[in-house]
Amino acid sequence: MSEHAPERTLYDHRSAEPRWQAEWTARACFRADDVPPPGQPKYYVLEMFPYPSGSIHVGHVRNYTLGDVVARYKRARGFAVLHPMGWDAFGLPAENAALERGLHPAEWTRANIATMRSALQRLGFSHDWSREVATCDPAYYGQQQRLFLTFWQAGLVARRETWVNWDPVDNTVLANEQVIDGHGWRSGAPVEKRLLAQWGMRITDYAPQLLEALDDLPRWPERVRTMQARWIGRSEGARVRFELEHAAAGLDEIPDFIEVFTTRPDTLFGLSFIAVAAEHPLAAHAAAASPEAARFVAECRAMGTSEAAIASAEKRGFDTGLRVRHPFDPARTAPVWIANFVLMEYGTGAIFGCPAHDQRDLDFARTYGLPILPVVARPDGDASVQADAYTGPGTLVNSAFLDGLDPDQAKRAAIDRLEAAGQGQGVVNWRLRDWGISRQRYWGCPIPVIHCATCGPVPVPDGQLPVILPEDVTFDRPGNPLDRHPTWKHVACPTCGSPATRETDTFDTFVDSSWYFARFCSPHSAQPFDRAATDGWMPVDQYIGGVEHAILHLLYARFFTRALHDQGRIGVAEPFAGLFTQGMVTHESYRAEDGAWLSPNEVERQDDGTLRARGTGAPITVGRGEKMSKSKRNTVDPGAIVDQYGADTARWFVLSDNPPERDIEWTEAGVAGAHRFLQRVWRLVLSTTDGTADPMPLRRATARTIAGVTEALETFAFNVAIARLHELASAITDAERGGVPLAARREALLTMARLMAPLAPHLAEEVHATLDTASDQLIAQLPWPEADPALLVVDTVTIAVQVMGKLRGTIQLPPGAAQPAALAAAEAEPNVARALEGLALEGRRIVKRIHVPDRIVNFVVA
RNA sequence: GCGGGCGUGGUGAAAUUGGUAGACACGCCAGAUUUAGGUUCUGGUGGCGCAAGCCGUGGGGGUUCAAGUCCCUCCGCCCGCACCA
């Protein structure tokens, strides 16, 4: 056996990683107090907690690695760090698993949590596991019920008959935010509209605040802020009452007027028609009176929102026969239509149509031959109606008292007149809807309400909380098993004592994730959270997760925090001071000739570089990198990567090459490359060659690396941090070859280990323990290295010399060299001199000499 | 349609924020050591050119001594929202 057996030169992650993980736990390195120590700055790092689906995927690895780099770095920088982890554990997949596999959702969820917890722990993340919470635990959701009741008291909860989005596959209501393109966000089934009594949160009360405060979140991505702003959707306009002519006397209980919302009250004289949504009460009246109207309304509803994209091409309507009077000219009337392009959920569910100045109205008017009256002339005076509706600036015409005004003036004048006449008022309209939180599902937090025939809905008294989800339920039929439970829902009314029933709906799981960040501050509190703990830790300094939560989760969490703030229960109005949205992890997809998707481990690279099916050698088609998905089978199991290469390799790879906000493509070559580099570091550690060369250049390189890595970590440029560490490794390799003493190289390696520690913590500890046998501390306990300023001082700088802006050479000068010296050296540079001579021969001479100290010299020749 | 973002070698990218474009890595080429290696190490690698040099950050134009970076304009790609009155 040779002296350098291969096993001895390889870093063995299989033994090192569990050893260091155990050591961190034993020393409680990542334990945080419920209140950060006084005098020490705090830093709360939070990654969006996972749904316990059963296994971690590489997206999780990336998400938690990013958070862990920040947590470990901030800890080393002297911050008291809170870095918790828990489980967003309620939700539909657990019920589906129950149906498919006969497992109870609780059992399935708990097993998944156990698996995923150990998978995460194997990656060496510095989470404080003593603060772990699961939203399906009564200790958590009981506090959530308490929060709900305080929200109710604060007037933020409403029970209303509302048109809801009904998912016919999942048998539940969906929030607007959960309807994607007319389909359920989870089931993908076309969403229907149903009228149901629902619990809702009055998030619209907070629309102005939620919008304005976006400006105070500079550490949020622009993209997310604009998405939220558009979702909240503020628009200024007017509500206008149109009195109905009661000509159609056959209709019972027709209201006296229709109210519309418009952003263009200036164009009221262009009125051509009124259009109401199919769900509008007036449409119901019309349907009651006329079979044709009923048929049209039914058609619209059947179409639902699912065909919205297709329907957008075709505007369809039905004339109810009703007419309204013009608010400014009672002699003028216009017809009332039911139209498929009017949305019940925006504004008042009714519009006034001004075809000349609104494209949709124009399309509709042309389809049904309705009048088109221009009321805004273009700046050149042309008021004619062209192919497209005119929405630009101009002057009002055909508009009585508004004539001659510009649209902005006319809006104000029209609103003034409406208000004076009691026919409308200027309003701000919001796109944001109230948040429906009832779900007809079992596996969620029970809504703590009792329905009494005499008292109505009654809150469950605090002493009876939590309302525990019963576990003895069956899933043999569709619908909510809580409804069918023999005893659970039957209770006495807390107010009058008469027989009553529990609410059997459960909360939307987005409620669960709207306050977990506060719970993490004091996870064992007998209240939702302790004020001292949230005062100490909130807000979250750095929140990290996928951009798919840009609207739903982040908006609800902001709403909850604001509401709690206004109730005096929490000290911050915004939960997340900094938000980072990471890119996806993608992978090539592979398809066999018959079109079947192949997983990466069913594919093999041939000697000629082509990819073929493993075993059969059949040719395959390689698709571009795209989001990993089970259907395309292009997923990679992080567990297998950790087994083969170790946690540090997986972490290093997801941080390498790409900036974290961008998508990365997972490649076997990239993983192998990360692993090679870590092994290379280990070989440097094992080197025993000694020498007597000057160690100063290596020391300077190390100091520069400290500065470079620090800056990179501060700016989330983790790929750049890795590049800097590669450079230091090369410098140490060069030093070894150049005979730099072993002790100096080991000093550099010890610094390198500390710089690497946030990214590859296990190897870092191994290096540290190997080279500094005197230390009884772990890197996890040590402060961040400081660069000696003296070592950052350079004795020469390279200055570029340009002639007419083109690079002609470089010169070496001491830093801070004065202009005369710099110019002289520049002119003396042979290549520069030659260029200048050549120009002089053409009779051209230097007219200007630019000198930027330590940067550049530029000779400008006329 | 509206909003946001992006466009740099064969590939992923970097660029002190207006000052030497391509750091670092993958890949590729050549060599060394091994030679069972998908090992390790060294050198090379934007394009054209023998060279001096010229060209080069999606295209065009502008500002400037100097532009990947700022301004105008066009093209292309990605993401989000979308009959929002």
Side-chain angles (χ1 to χ4, degrees), chain A residues 334-356:
Chain A
V336 178
W337 287 64
I338 302 167
N340 66 344
F341 68 95
V342 180
L343 306 173
M344 190 60 216
E345 51 278 357
Y346 186 79
T348 62
I351 62 161
F352 93 85
C354 175

Side-chain angles (χ1 to χ4, degrees), chain A residues 358-429:
Chain A
D358 182 286
Q359 191 58 45
R360 291 173 311 252
D361 297 349
L362 185 59
D363 296 342
F364 189 74
R366 283 184 171 149
T367 304
Y368 292 102
L370 294 161
I372 300 167
L373 257 85
V375 289
V376 180
R378 290 168 179 74
D380 64 8
D382 178 15
S384 65
V385 176
Q386 322 220 318
D388 294 331
Y390 181 68
T391 56
T395 306
L396 271 286
V397 295
N398 303 329
S399 294
F401 66 96
L402 298 174
D403 280 354
L405 301 179
D406 70 35
D408 281 343
Q409 295 165 330
K411 278 175 194 162
R412 258 166 283 152
I415 289 170
D416 286 348
R417 182 70 69 102
L418 288 167
E419 289 179 349
Q423 284 168 308
Q425 69 269 358
V427 294
V428 173
N429 193 62

